[in-house]
Amino acid sequence: MENHQADNHTAKAFATAYHKLKEEIHKVIVGQDEVIDQLLIALFSKGHCVLVGVPGLAKTLLIQTIAQCFDLSFHRIQFTPDLMPADITGSETLDKERNFKFVKGPIFAHIILADEINRTPPKTQAALLEAMQERAVTIGGQRYPLPNPFFVLATQNPIEQEGTYPLPEAQLDRFMFEIQLTYPSFEEEVEVIKRTTGAYTAEVNKVLEEKELLLFQDLVRKVPVADNVIEYAVRLVQKTRPTDEKNTVAREYLEWGAGPRASQYLILGAKCHALLHGKLSPDIEDVQAVALPVLRHRIVRNFKAEAEGIGLDTIIGQLL
């Protein structure tokens, strides 16, 4: 009984902290409400994110602002074609006594901004993605654990293809969400120009400490889920697989479907979404609320869908 009351109290504190976070972020970021919601859900669910959008939509600024709201270490890695794995993970050097000493790379921080991740070759991408999965790096046979909590927030520019190395599907699967950023509305863009062409500089306050974030992450994991909600999530993921003759939409428009990791992230995201909306257990609507960012980078359109100009979000909408 005491544990239940404590969890209820923590759930209220969680919702309060979430609204404070959004207030601080909006001091700098105009609009992008849905994008901010999805980023915070991923952070509280221990998930990594990849943000996709054309230049100038404040992808980098958004991630930097979120990092400022947490009392956590933050490193930005600018991905370039000549970046090597050791530039991310660190390397062994000789000290004055000619002993090998490991010098930690920028991956050793709580929040990592992997800026333009598709600009670096697969070898370097793999070093980052291994760290994301294992939450540790191995150098010279020695394993070095990364800080806890640990998040990778990557950005990608979908326009340029020359000189880029698109992430393979298996590596994209490591990200909980793919978040699409769109152009701002006319009113939002006017507000952006007003804020960014004057002398005013917003001051972002820290809202959450490390121990509070870990407590809220633990709370998300504790949220109970009814069997029918889990079954709905699994059925939704299975609908994306064209191997089943019953999945007519998938057979018509998809080359490949999502794997079991999609079902896991649908449930984790639904748990967090439910808590943020005052519910102590998620329902089917919470699963649907996180379906787009969970599924859009895990399914592959076939030639027919591409030729007819049918987007992934449209296909996922039909599956829901």
Side-chain angles (χ1 to χ4, degrees), residues 191-208:
E191 181 61 27
V192 168
I193 304 308
K194 285 180 180 177
R195 288 192 190 186
T196 55
T197 56
Y200 172 72
T201 304
E203 185 177 333
V204 178
N205 299 311
K206 295 194 185 299
V207 176
L208 279 185

Side-chain angles (χ1 to χ4, degrees), residues 18-290:
Y18 174 78
H19 291 299
K20 283 184 182 176
L21 280 169
K22 288 196 72 173
E23 283 177 19
E24 293 299 317
I25 293 166
H26 279 305
K27 287 181 180 179
V28 177
I29 303 297
V30 177
Q32 302 288 13
D33 245 5
E34 189 176 351
V35 171
I36 293 168
D37 284 340
Q38 290 172 0
L39 267 170
L40 292 177
I41 286 172
L43 287 174
F44 287 119
S45 305
K46 298 185 181 180
H48 308 291
C49 286
V50 57
L51 281 77
V52 180
V54 299
L57 295 184
K59 299 185 295 295
T60 302
L61 179 63
L62 173 57
I63 293 170
Q64 288 175 329
T65 305
I66 287 176
Q68 287 178 307
C69 294
F70 292 91
D71 194 11
L72 301 171
S73 56
F74 168 72
H75 287 159
R76 172 182 176 172
I77 306 172
Q78 185 67 49
F79 281 72
T80 56
D82 60 348
L83 197 72
M84 297 298 289
D87 296 329
I88 294 175
T89 58
S91 57
E92 287 189 325
T93 60
L94 286 170
D95 61 17
K96 293 178 182 177
E97 286 75 37
R98 301 189 65 78
N99 295 318
F100 280 107
K101 178 186 176 184
F102 176 62
V103 179
K104 291 181 177 180
I107 195 74
F108 286 88
H110 293 104
I111 300 177
I112 302 296
L113 165 54
D115 217 357
E116 295 193 276
I117 190 173
N118 57 332
R119 285 209 168 278
T120 203
K123 184 177 182 180
T124 307
Q125 291 174 353
L128 173 72
L129 292 156
E130 180 187 6
M132 286 166 52
Q133 182 67 19
E134 305 299 330
R135 298 185 186 265
V137 298
T138 303
I139 305 291
Q142 182 73 31
R143 189 174 187 270
Y144 299 92
L146 294 169
N148 183 33
F150 175 71
F151 309 107
V152 172
L153 304 174
T155 68
Q156 277 194 151
N157 173 5
I159 297 177
E160 294 166 321
Q161 300 301 321
E162 190 173 342
T164 62
Y165 305 83
L167 285 171
E169 301 302 324
Q171 294 184 349
L172 274 174
D173 197 41
R174 306 289 182 193
F175 290 95
M176 178 177 182
F177 284 166
E178 180 186 295
I179 301 173
Q180 299 276 356
L181 276 80
T182 56
Y183 291 112
S185 67
F186 178 80
E187 293 77 13
E188 288 171 347
E189 194 161 347
V190 168
E191 181 61 27
V192 168
I193 304 308
K194 285 180 180 177
R195 288 192 190 186
T196 55
T197 56
Y200 172 72
T201 304
E203 185 177 333
V204 178
N205 299 311
K206 295 194 185 299
V207 176
L208 279 185
E209 296 179 356
E210 180 183 325
K211 63 180 181 180
E212 293 172 308
L213 177 56
L214 291 171
L215 179 67
F216 293 149
Q217 286 179 336
D218 186 48
L219 176 69
V220 169
R221 293 273 171 166
K222 287 180 180 177
V223 172
V225 187
D227 284 348
N228 71 303
V229 176
I230 293 175
E231 288 164 6
Y232 174 81
V234 173
R235 274 197 299 268
L236 175 58
V237 171
Q238 292 196 339
K239 281 183 189 177
T240 67
R241 298 169 188 167
T243 49
D244 190 337
E245 290 186 7
K246 292 182 291 184
N247 301 336
T248 53
V249 174
R251 286 182 68 82
E252 188 171 4
Y253 295 123
L254 295 178
E255 191 77 32
W256 294 101
R261 196 177 272 122
S263 304
Q264 294 170 339
Y265 282 139
L266 281 172
I267 293 301
L268 277 173
K271 284 183 175 189
C272 189
H273 188 271
L275 279 177
L276 295 176
H277 289 80
K279 293 184 279 189
L280 296 179
S281 181
D283 51 30
I284 287 171
E285 285 73 24
D286 294 302
V287 175
Q288 292 172 334
V290 298

